[in-house]
Amino acid sequence: MPALDPRTILLISGLLYITMPLVIFLALREQKNTMITHWVVGGEIFGLGIMLVGGRGQMPDWASYDLAHLCLFAGNLTRIHALRLEIHRASKPKTMMGLLAALFGIYLVARASDPQQLLSYYVSLFTLALTFGWISLLSRQLAGHSHLSSAHWMGHIYLLLTVIVCIRLLQVMSGHSLPGIMSQDLFSLAIPMAGMFAAVLGNTTYMGVYLERATRQQLRQAKEAARRSESMRLSNQIAQLDRQRSMGLIAMSLAHEISQPLSNIHMIAERAELSALKSQPADPARVKSIADILRNIQNATDIIERLRNYIKAKDSPRQNVNLTDLHHNVLSLLGDWLRTELVETHTDAPSTPVMAHVDPVQISQILVNLYRNGAQASAGQDQHQLHIRIAQEQNRAVLQVRDNGPGFSAAMLNNSAEPFLSAKTDGLCVGLTISRHIAQQHRQMAGLHRTNVRLQDCEAPTLCAWAVSKWLSNFLG
């Protein structure tokens, strides 16, 4: 049998069309989706049709002609249905069955009406060109929909197959070539040859679609894991800063409160020492005891002074940052927690950057406090909402936070400058104090300006969110 005998080529092509879908099924068996099953079944049916065509002259006509064409049409339509599902088109198996019945019915009518089988040959070539072109079109749509290069190449492969079949059809219709798949002319051999390559390349590129998707999914998961890891690291860093500042502020408050009674004790001890020295007769033991008291009081004072100096904040590194970017970074940091708490965030920010010369880590710490407090304050509402406004007002960068919580009392507003104040029953009472301390470090805090904001204008925000947002408007920029 010659190497380029059409039967040999058809046999090889049919075997490849049967084998390659099985390779796809084994390689993608863990995917377990309907699209792969349809593509594999369609390839098997199409391969069976090619092998039946290759048996012409050695098999009954009903098998090598009628059944073969039914398999070819059904195989391509099944793969078309698989691609339609890939691009999320509506599944319409009844429509596909109706289309198959119509195409095969047209073929049977043409075969019955033309004893020389020329008309049925035209119908079969036209149907193959139509279905191959449809596969090419859907592949290109899949490439555009999912940005998959494998689908793009699959579209080119089936487009080339469509062009070859169309050229063959035009040659036969114009009389430049004899009809029949067993013809020895160039384009008659080109169809089974192209089918052989399409069996390999078409199925390989289809498998590449899933491999490319799996690679992208792994990259997305790796990026998401890296983002969560970085968010957790930043969250831990900010939480650590919160704890350190909380302890420092508590220590400062205690040092301030203790220093006054120590000063009073020191003065009392000095008067007692002077009285003991003037008394007659002098009492050396009493004088020594008082001297010991004074020395220990001085030691305690020195310890408190050293504590103050140790926890006194040093100048933090400042840089020009876009307040909008800082806001989005904090939202990303709190994203998982906000979604868990079902908090809706609404941001009103200009398209142009709102620049501020600040320490970004410390300002992020303030924003974390603001957003957490605001979200927690709305816990009793049907919807938890945070409204953040960022604006550039003259030479100031302004960030304001509102929530839809129940609000706070006027007494708390009047005492808002007191340290360790909280509107939460289970609060540690350090959030507002920490934020105030950070603002003071930036040396541009002008204090609270309650006259600039009315309670009813804030939609009942939390005390921390309302107060610190006004500080931000004074020291940012």
Side-chain angles (χ1 to χ4, degrees):
M1 186 179 289
L4 291 180
D5 181 73
R7 285 190 176 87
T8 303
I9 299 174
L10 287 169
L11 178 62
I12 295 173
S13 180
L15 288 173
L16 287 172
Y17 259 105
I18 290 174
T19 304
M20 289 303 297
L22 291 176
V23 172
I24 290 178
F25 183 77
L26 292 175
L28 304 177
R29 60 184 180 277
E30 294 182 358
Q31 299 282 342
K32 296 180 180 179
N33 62 46
T34 308
M35 291 81 80
I36 296 175
T37 303
H38 279 85
W39 181 269
V40 170
V41 171
E44 297 294 323
I45 296 174
F46 192 84
L48 177 62
I50 292 178
M51 296 190 74
L52 289 173
V53 171
R56 286 181 183 176
Q58 301 174 355
M59 299 176 64
D61 286 351
W62 66 266
S64 61
Y65 280 92
D66 301 336
L67 182 58
H69 281 89
L70 178 61
C71 289
L72 293 175
F73 298 166
N76 271 354
L77 287 176
T78 304
R79 292 189 295 174
I80 287 169
H81 184 60
L83 289 176
R84 284 175 57 84
L85 294 176
E86 290 283 0
I87 57 178
H88 308 298
R89 296 282 179 83
S91 177
K92 297 180 179 179
K94 291 183 179 180
T95 302
M96 287 296 173
M97 292 295 293
L99 182 58
L100 173 62
L103 292 174
F104 189 63
I106 293 172
Y107 165 78
L108 291 177
V109 170
R111 179 169 164 74
S113 61
D114 184 7
Q116 296 182 351
Q117 308 303 318
L118 186 61
L119 185 58
S120 61
Y121 186 69
Y122 292 160
V123 171
S124 64
L125 286 182
F126 176 78
T127 304
L128 286 176
L130 176 67
T131 52
F132 283 141
W134 198 352
I135 292 175
S136 174
L137 177 62
L138 291 174
S139 300
R140 295 173 67 86
Q141 289 177 352
L142 177 61
H145 181 267
S146 303
H147 305 288
L148 298 169
S149 58
S150 299
H152 183 75
W153 284 108
M154 186 166 67
H156 285 315
I157 291 168
Y158 282 98
L159 178 61
L160 177 62
L161 198 57
T162 303
V163 171
I164 292 173
V165 174
C166 288
I167 292 175
R168 172 64 179 163
L169 176 62
L170 292 174
Q171 279 188 324
V172 175
M173 293 180 68
S174 62
H176 289 84
S177 180
L178 295 175
I181 195 68
M182 298 301 174
S183 177
Q184 294 286 339
D185 62 86
L186 178 62
F187 271 93
S188 178
L189 293 173
I191 292 178
M193 288 288 291
M196 185 169 60
F197 287 108
V200 176
L201 298 178
N203 285 287
T204 302
T205 51
Y206 182 82
M207 185 167 58
V209 167
Y210 281 87
L211 295 177
E212 194 172 349
R213 280 176 175 169
T215 302
R216 288 186 179 181
Q217 180 67 18
Q218 290 175 353
L219 288 174
R220 282 196 296 267
Q221 290 175 351
K223 289 180 179 179
E224 180 66 17
R227 184 192 67 80
R228 289 184 178 178
S229 177
E230 180 65 14
S231 296
M232 185 175 296
R233 186 187 68 80
L234 291 175
S235 180
N236 291 335
Q237 181 182 358
I238 290 176
Q240 181 65 19
L241 285 174
D242 269 339
R243 288 191 290 269
Q244 291 174 354
R245 291 183 182 279
S246 299
M247 295 303 298
L249 291 172
I250 292 171
M252 286 182 67
S253 177
L254 289 174
H256 175 74
E257 297 298 329
I258 292 173
S259 61
Q260 184 63 36
L262 275 178
S263 298
N264 293 335
I265 294 172
H266 190 276
M267 287 188 293
I268 293 171
E270 283 183 335
R271 287 198 298 270
E273 182 185 36
L274 181 60
S275 175
L277 289 173
K278 290 181 178 180
S279 64
Q280 294 297 332
D283 187 349
R286 181 183 175 193
V287 171
K288 183 179 181 303
S289 296
I290 294 175
D292 289 340
I293 292 173
L294 286 171
R295 185 173 63 254
N296 282 280
I297 291 173
Q298 186 60 47
N299 288 338
T301 303
D302 293 341
I303 290 172
I304 290 173
E305 188 62 29
R306 284 196 299 271
L307 180 62
R308 282 177 170 175
N309 293 332
Y310 176 75
I311 63 178
K312 187 179 296 182
K314 298 179 176 62
D315 290 339
S316 55
R318 311 255 185 104
Q319 54 184 285
N320 289 324
V321 297
N322 184 357
L323 196 58
T324 305
D325 290 343
L326 206 62
H327 155 75
H328 287 302
N329 290 340
V330 171
L331 277 189
S332 176
L333 182 67
L334 297 175
D336 292 336
W337 181 80
L338 291 173
R339 284 189 290 271
T340 302
E341 298 295 323
L342 304 178
V343 178
E344 298 179 8
T345 58
H346 305 276
T347 303
D348 178 15
S351 57
T352 56
V354 179
M355 305 304 297
H357 188 68
V358 295
D359 177 355
V361 175
Q362 291 186 344
I363 301 307
S364 296
Q365 190 177 357
I366 290 181
L367 297 186
V368 168
N369 276 323
L370 286 178
Y371 298 168
R372 279 179 176 168
N373 284 358
Q376 291 168 350
S378 60
Q381 306 301 314
D382 294 335
Q383 291 183 331
H384 308 169
Q385 295 181 348
L386 276 181
H387 298 266
I388 298 98
R389 173 179 172 267
I390 302 171
Q392 187 80 43
E393 296 180 356
Q394 297 179 352
N395 62 339
R396 296 192 307 172
V398 178
L399 186 145
Q400 293 177 323
V401 182
R402 295 182 300 163
D403 61 66
N404 63 332
F408 45 86
S409 64
M412 293 194 69
L413 280 176
N414 293 330
N415 299 323
S416 58
E418 293 182 4
F420 310 116
L421 181 68
S422 175
K424 296 182 291 185
T425 57
D426 58 348
L428 296 177
C429 308
V430 294
L432 184 59
T433 306
I434 290 172
S435 301
R436 180 191 293 115
H437 186 65
I438 293 174
Q440 288 171 340
Q441 287 181 25
H442 282 72
R443 299 180 182 177
Q444 293 185 17
M445 190 192 75
L448 291 171
H449 292 277
R450 291 199 301 272
T451 55
N452 293 338
V453 177
R454 294 175 302 173
L455 182 60
Q456 57 267 31
D457 293 334
C458 295
E459 297 182 5
T462 61
L463 179 59
C464 181
W466 172 73
V468 181
S469 67
K470 299 315 296 177
W471 293 338
L472 285 174
S473 69
N474 284 290
F475 76 77
L476 294 179

